[in-house]
Amino acid sequence: MKILIVEDELKTGASVQQGLVEAGFVVDLDRDGTDGLHHALTEAYDLLVLDVMLPGMNGWQILEGIRRAGKDVPVLFLTARDHVDDRVKGLELGADDYLVKPFAFSELLARIRTLLRRGTRSKEAEILRAADLELDLLRRRVSRGGKRIELTVKEFALLELLMRRQGEVLPRSLIASQVWDMNFDSDTNVIDVAVRRLRVKIDDDFDAKLIHTVRGMGYVLEVAS
């Protein structure tokens, strides 16, 4: 699970990051609201932890930006602002939880795990679609044009990533980290081989091709208009 923290207080940000890493999460830390929004929109995170008062852009503006972009990633506000109006504003903008400073790290960790479990349950109920391609996350089934397609575990994970980020060019480095949980080595062709095998199963028997190579950039799953 990958978490983004946007927190400008040096000690708070560093201690929360360290605690979450020790709890087994992959954690990025930004200290500026503008950087936080950029990373929230361009990277794949399972949860965001946002302070409200930030340089560049406040936490509410970050939340508005990601919700406007259609991202439903869970958001937990971590802030010294404990007025009821502040909490209500955050929740109305689409926040999922709100923890007031000072706080016990054990409570923060419990709330994060609860939000992640909730997000996982909602994802499992989804059916992802692109043209006549359908991916059923609950039953772990893939079909195209009504024809059942058998995929390996990694192929399923790769297709899920491409479908969730449909229309977005995904660099090989992102695919490597999200599907294989590894840093991308430019000397390896594991990503290209995996995409090629997936194409054989998803595209070869159909006129309309869904998985495309963007030369020098990566891959995209896109329905031709």
Side-chain angles (χ1 to χ4, degrees), residues 3-219:
I3 296 174
L4 173 65
I5 302 168
V6 189
E7 169 62 74
D8 65 325
E9 291 183 8
L10 298 181
K11 285 187 177 180
T12 301
S15 63
V16 170
Q17 182 181 34
Q18 180 179 347
L20 292 177
V21 168
E22 291 174 355
F25 297 103
V26 176
V27 184
D28 290 338
L29 173 62
D30 283 328
R31 304 193 185 280
D32 178 273
T34 305
D35 291 340
L37 177 60
H38 172 73
H39 289 135
L41 292 176
T42 58
E43 301 286 339
Y45 292 102
D46 297 288
L47 184 135
L48 307 182
V49 178
L50 306 179
D51 190 13
V52 171
M53 302 307 295
L54 292 163
M57 177 182 293
N58 66 45
W60 291 324
Q61 291 171 312
I62 296 174
L63 179 57
E64 285 182 303
I66 63 173
R67 293 297 185 244
R68 193 162 50 241
K71 288 184 172 286
D72 60 355
V73 57
V75 172
L76 186 152
F77 272 124
L78 196 63
T79 178
R81 301 176 66 112
D82 61 350
H83 298 299
V84 172
D85 289 346
D86 289 334
R87 295 199 297 272
V88 169
K89 180 175 181 177
L91 295 171
E92 286 181 342
L93 288 173
D96 298 272
D97 204 352
Y98 206 108
L99 187 58
V100 176
K101 303 172 184 176
F103 57 88
F105 179 76
S106 58
E107 181 181 2
L108 172 64
L109 183 59
R111 291 187 183 217
I112 285 174
R113 285 175 170 161
T114 296
L115 289 175
L116 290 172
R117 282 196 299 270
R118 187 187 306 167
T120 300
R121 285 196 297 270
S122 66
K123 286 179 182 178
E124 287 177 348
E126 289 181 358
I127 293 179
L128 305 179
R129 293 184 176 87
D132 56 349
L133 175 65
E134 184 175 288
L135 186 147
D136 187 327
L137 285 161
L138 185 62
R139 296 186 294 175
R140 311 295 290 180
R141 290 182 180 176
V142 175
S143 62
R144 184 165 184 193
K147 176 185 175 183
R148 179 81 175 271
I149 299 172
E150 298 293 339
L151 299 181
T152 66
V153 172
K154 288 300 184 185
E155 288 169 347
F156 190 96
L158 174 58
L159 181 60
E160 179 183 349
L161 175 64
L162 289 166
M163 292 185 74
R164 285 192 182 280
R165 308 282 287 269
Q166 189 175 159
E168 183 178 343
V169 179
L170 304 184
R172 290 171 177 80
S173 57
L174 185 145
I175 294 173
S177 65
Q178 293 294 310
V179 178
W180 279 269
D181 194 25
M182 69 178 190
N183 293 323
F184 177 67
D185 182 349
S186 59
D187 293 331
T188 182
N189 65 345
V190 63
I191 309 300
D192 302 308
V193 170
V195 171
R196 188 158 57 245
R197 288 176 176 169
L198 183 61
R199 273 179 169 152
V200 169
K201 297 181 179 182
I202 297 300
D203 279 342
D204 275 14
D205 292 338
F206 300 88
D207 292 333
K209 309 305 179 187
L210 298 177
I211 302 173
H212 308 278
T213 301
V214 181
R215 194 173 300 278
M217 297 180 66
Y219 296 99

